[in-house]
């Protein structure tokens, strides 16, 4: 994962040497004394090997306009996110007003591919999550106005979250009719989480448009009262769809931000089960590109706060645990978690449960679709476990063990299956490419690339970049070279790869070392 300092440097167009000189100059101007302006310092900071001295951090913060108290409050590297636009998401309290501001800020997340960098990790993540889950569980049994027991009349438990009947032409909140249509569209979007034939990018656009509508309604009608609570619930659901689809597009940075806003919205709505789903999805983001220890902590939190886990959610939680343990090198623990996932996958799904843990907790959760036609036939949960077994083996350094499991996935995609494939099929096949390349089976790697393009229609730019990165080291192999050419020829826009890059298997746009101002390679 890219370090936030690397993202800041890239945004300002600075080499490590140039950035080191700026920090050293500012350090002296602030009266902290002289410090060496060496690019090696910046490399060590960005690699995580060392933490800058407090005065060096204050010099950096001064350059970027971050107040010194924020540096002390958030600590390294979390205060750096104040520079790259995540200030509101980090700073706002876990209140309805804070959730409204955080949701509004997340409407402006980057849509173009960007380096992956998780916003919250370690102690800061734990503190934010603890506050959110306490808020969600504390408010769960209270009315939206904070008084008395929660109203559990049919309008509050309806699958489409319709809200109370219209009170008349002078009602200032969103009407019941408007809420019904928002609920219907949100449920339709949630059905695509488990399987879809539609382009993931188009689905993300639709989900983000719905999310933007809900957030603007919160801003227009206020964040207190029964209507606001229902809108926060819709905001959490649409943010979860946006996060799920962002991850499928290979945009983990954007996915994590959407997940964090979903946690905030679920807390503001007083929905512990919905907060648990958001926490479970956040755990998956940390397995992909964060600290597996954080992922395990998030899994435990999701299990604690959720009251009615569906088989799909339990399967996803066990698979996430298995992958995190595999990243830590705990083969036996990973195997036990996969066994538990297999048992959960074999459980009879409740009405409304969807594959791959996509559904929130409980039966017919939040208006999700009935189980119905399932991707890859009748056992989508089992396929999830099969892919998790393959990915775990790959993480444990056993690609030969991973290959047979990935072949089940690749072979199932020779023709459109009985049910629509998961939006995450493209990222699963990327892991299959890794396994095939690791054992030298270049022909099977090329087949997986073709399957990914055929299933998705067009690989999203962020995911396509990852495929090229994986293949580039083996570009002199004929099968791999043809796969790289296929990616170039099927790209929706002119590829950044030149003919010479395809022939050598090198994508210089993504792999060229940065040159410092004094001409040294970094």
């Amino acid at each position: 994962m890219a370090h936030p300092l690397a993202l800041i440097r890239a945004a300002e167009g600075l080499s490590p040497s140039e950035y080191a000189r700026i920090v050293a100059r500012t350090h002296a101007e602030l009266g902290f004394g002289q410090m060496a302006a060496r690019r090696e310092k910046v490399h060590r900071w960005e690699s995580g090997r060392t933490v800058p001295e407090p005065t060096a951090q204050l010099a950096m913060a001064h350059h970027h306009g971050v107040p010194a108290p924020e540096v002390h409050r958030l600590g390294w590297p979390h205060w750096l996110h104040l520079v790259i636009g995540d200030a509101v998401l980090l700073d706002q309290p876990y209140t309805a007003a804070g959730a409204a501001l955080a949701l509004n800020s997340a409407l402006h997340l980057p849509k173009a591919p960007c380096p992956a960098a998780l916003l919250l990790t370690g102690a800061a993540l734990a503190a934010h999550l603890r506050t959110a889950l306490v808020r969600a569980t504390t408010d769960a049994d209270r009315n939206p106005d904070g008084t008395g027991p929660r109203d559990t009349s049919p309008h509050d438990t309806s699958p489409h979250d319709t809200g109370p009947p219209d009170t008349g032409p002078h009602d200032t909140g969103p009407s019941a009719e408007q809420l019904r249509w928002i609920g219907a569209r949100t449920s339709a979007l949630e059905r695509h989480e488990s399987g879809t034939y539609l382009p993931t990018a188009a689905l993300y656009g639709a989900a983000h448009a719905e999310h933007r509508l809900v957030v603007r309604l919160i801003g227009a009608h206020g964040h207190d009262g029964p209507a606001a609570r229902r809108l926060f619930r819709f905001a959490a659901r649409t943010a979860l769809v946006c996060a799920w689809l962002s991850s499928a597009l290979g945009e983990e940075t954007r996915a994590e931000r959407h997940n964090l806003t979903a946690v905030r919205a679920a807390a503001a709505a007083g929905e512990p089960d919905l907060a648990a789903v958001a926490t479970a999805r956040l755990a998956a983001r940390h397995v992909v590109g964060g600290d597996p220890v954080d992922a395990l902590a998030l899994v435990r939190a999701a299990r604690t706060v959720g009251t009615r886990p569906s088989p799909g959610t339990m399967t996803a939680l066990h698979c996430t645990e298995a992958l995190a343990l595999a990243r830590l090198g705990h083969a036996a623990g990973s195997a036990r978690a996969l066994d538990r996932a297999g048992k959960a996958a074999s459980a009879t799904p409740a009405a409304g449960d969807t594959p791959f843990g996509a559904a929130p907790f409980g039966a017919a959760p939040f208006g999700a679709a009935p189980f119905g036609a399932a991707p890859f036939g009748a056992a989508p949960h089992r396929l999830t476990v099969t892919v998790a077994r393959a990915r775990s083996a790959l993480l444990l350094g056993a690609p030969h063990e991973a290959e047979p499991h990935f072949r089940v996935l690749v072979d199932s995609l020779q023709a459109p299956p009985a049910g629509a494939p998961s939006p995450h099929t493209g990222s699963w096949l990327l892991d299959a490419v890794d396994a095939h390349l690791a054992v030298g089976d270049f022909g099977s790697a090329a087949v997986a690339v073709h399957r990914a393009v055929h299933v998705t229609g067009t690989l999203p730019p962020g995911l396509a970049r990852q495929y090229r990165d994986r293949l580039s080291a083996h570009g002199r192999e004929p099968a791999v070279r043809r796969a790289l050419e296929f990616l170039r020829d099927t790209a929706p826009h002119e590829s950044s790869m030149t003919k010479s890059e395809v022939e050598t298997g090198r994508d210089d746009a993504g792999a060229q070392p940065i040159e410092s101002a004094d001409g040294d390679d970094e």
Side-chain angles (χ1 to χ4, degrees):
M1 303 294 288
H3 193 278
L5 182 57
L7 298 180
I8 292 168
R9 277 200 309 100
E12 295 190 0
L14 297 172
S15 72
S17 296
E18 291 169 329
Y19 190 81
R21 288 195 289 271
I22 290 172
V23 174
R25 183 174 63 250
T26 306
H27 193 272
E29 291 171 351
L30 293 175
F32 295 140
Q34 300 297 317
M35 66 175 290
R38 301 183 60 187
R39 60 193 176 100
E40 289 83 358
K41 278 180 175 285
V42 179
H43 280 308
R44 289 195 292 270
W45 297 339
E46 293 179 355
S47 68
R49 293 197 299 263
T50 62
V51 174
E53 290 290 331
T55 54
Q57 291 189 47
L58 291 173
M60 283 187 270
H62 183 82
H63 170 68
H64 295 297
V66 176
E70 294 300 301
V71 176
H72 298 307
R73 183 177 70 86
L74 295 172
W76 180 270
H78 299 296
W79 68 262
L80 292 170
H81 291 288
L82 299 177
V83 185
I84 55 177
D86 294 318
V88 175
L89 197 54
L90 276 173
D91 281 356
Q92 290 304 310
Y94 279 84
T95 61
L101 287 171
L103 284 164
N104 188 67
S105 72
L107 293 179
H108 310 291
L109 295 174
K111 293 182 173 61
C114 61
L118 295 183
L119 175 59
L120 281 175
T121 58
L125 172 65
H128 275 258
L129 186 66
R130 184 165 53 249
T131 304
L133 297 185
V134 166
R135 171 66 190 264
T137 54
T138 300
D139 289 353
D141 296 323
R142 303 189 67 80
N143 277 324
D145 59 4
T147 62
R150 183 174 180 182
D151 177 11
T152 55
S153 58
H155 70 69
D156 202 46
T157 56
S158 164
H160 290 304
D161 242 347
T162 59
D166 287 312
T167 58
H170 301 296
D171 186 12
T172 58
S175 68
E177 178 180 339
Q178 186 174 25
L179 291 174
R180 280 194 293 270
W181 280 106
I182 291 173
R185 290 191 298 270
T186 301
S187 296
L189 287 165
E190 287 169 336
R191 285 193 285 272
H192 287 285
E193 289 185 323
S194 56
T196 185
Y197 291 114
L198 299 178
T200 307
L203 283 173
Y204 176 80
H208 194 262
E210 196 66 34
H211 182 64
R212 184 168 57 248
L213 168 64
V214 173
V215 172
R216 288 178 176 170
L217 285 174
I218 292 173
H221 299 296
H223 42 72
D224 295 318
R229 189 167 193 162
R230 294 182 184 91
L231 287 172
F232 276 123
R233 190 180 306 139
F234 282 130
R237 289 171 59 187
T238 52
L240 283 172
V241 178
C242 288
W244 185 256
L245 295 172
S246 292
S247 177
L249 290 166
E251 301 299 335
E252 293 297 333
T253 296
R254 193 172 68 200
E256 187 223 15
R257 272 58 168 186
H258 280 308
N259 265 132
L260 289 171
T261 58
V263 171
R264 280 186 174 273
E271 292 282 355
D273 287 338
L274 192 50
V277 175
T279 303
R281 301 274 186 92
L282 194 57
R285 305 285 67 75
H286 283 263
V287 164
V288 172
D291 187 338
V293 174
D294 287 343
L296 291 173
L298 290 164
V299 167
R300 289 192 295 270
R303 287 171 174 160
T304 300
V305 73
T307 59
R308 296 171 290 125
S310 67
T313 300
M314 291 306 299
T315 301
L317 284 171
H318 292 313
C319 288
T320 299
E321 180 183 18
L323 293 170
L325 290 169
R327 280 195 61 192
L328 291 169
H330 300 327
S334 180
R336 288 192 294 269
L338 287 168
D339 288 341
R340 291 192 292 272
K343 292 177 182 178
S346 300
T348 302
D353 191 20
T354 55
F356 318 123
F361 281 65
F366 313 107
F371 196 67
F376 303 104
H381 292 339
R382 294 193 188 98
L383 183 66
T384 304
V385 179
T386 296
V387 173
R389 289 187 188 280
R391 296 177 68 195
S392 295
L394 195 59
L395 289 169
L396 288 165
H400 286 92
E401 295 180 18
E403 262 207 312
H405 297 298
F406 279 126
R407 288 190 190 281
V408 173
L409 172 66
V410 175
D411 291 346
S412 71
L413 297 169
Q414 295 184 55
S422 166
H424 282 258
T425 301
S427 58
W428 290 350
L429 288 169
L430 179 63
D431 288 328
V433 169
D434 278 337
H436 295 315
L437 292 175
V439 300
D441 189 349
F442 303 115
S444 293
V447 169
V449 172
H450 280 71
R451 290 274 195 281
V453 173
H454 293 156
V455 169
T456 60
T458 300
L459 277 177
L463 203 55
R465 167 74 68 179
Q466 294 179 52
Y467 272 87
R468 294 201 301 270
D469 288 345
R470 301 295 207 283
L471 295 169
S472 62
H474 307 276
R476 295 190 183 280
E477 297 291 335
V480 174
R481 185 168 65 251
R482 288 193 293 272
L484 284 165
E485 291 170 346
F486 178 69
L487 287 175
R488 181 194 60 190
D489 294 341
T490 55
H493 303 293
E494 185 177 355
S495 172
S496 61
M497 296 182 69
T498 65
K499 184 175 185 296
S500 63
E501 288 163 2
V502 171
E503 290 173 350
T504 60
R506 183 168 183 231
D507 182 359
D508 285 332
Q512 185 176 8
I514 300 170
E515 290 188 358
S516 65
D518 53 13
D520 293 331
D521 284 347
E522 298 299 329

